[in-house]
C-alpha cells in the first residue's frame, strides 16, 4: 500500500493514522512498533521499517519525513 505523508510528520504518525498500531514506548529512545492491524511480533518475527528502500536506524516516532 502506498501512503502519502506531509513534510514534518513521523513514520509513526503516518502508520498510526493509516493502520491499527500497537507499540511500546521507551521514552526518549522512542516507540517500538509491536503490532500492525492485529499482526503482532513474537520471538521469531519483529516489525522493522524502511523509508525509500533504506532500513531505518531510529524508532518510528523519531524518523521525520521530508520530500
Amino acid at each position: 500500500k502506498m501512503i502519502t505523508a506531509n513534510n514534518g510528520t513521523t513514520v509513526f504518525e503516518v502508520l498510526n493514522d493509516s493502520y491499527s498500531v500497537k507499540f511500546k514506548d521507551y521514552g526518549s529512545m522512542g516507540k517500538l512498533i509491536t503490532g500492525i492491524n492485529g499482526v503482532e511480533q513474537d520471538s521469531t518475527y519483529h516489525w522493522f521499517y524502511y523509508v525509500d528502500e533504506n532500513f531505518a536506524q531510529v524508532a518510528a516516532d523519531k524518523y521525520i519525513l521530508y520530500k
Side-chain angles (χ1 to χ4, degrees), residues 20-67:
S20 174
V21 176
K22 283 190 169 183
F23 63 94
K24 184 166 183 181
D25 192 339
Y26 286 95
S28 63
M29 290 179 58
K31 295 176 181 172
L32 173 68
I33 295 173
T34 59
I36 299 175
N37 283 352
V39 180
E40 306 281 329
Q41 70 181 22
D42 60 24
S43 61
T44 304
Y45 299 101
H46 304 279
W47 283 102
F48 297 100
Y49 71 97
Y50 293 76
V51 176
D52 295 329
E53 299 182 17
N54 296 306
F55 178 73
Q57 301 292 317
V58 296
D61 65 320
K62 301 296 182 186
Y63 197 115
I64 299 172
L65 299 169
Y66 296 100
K67 290 185 181 180

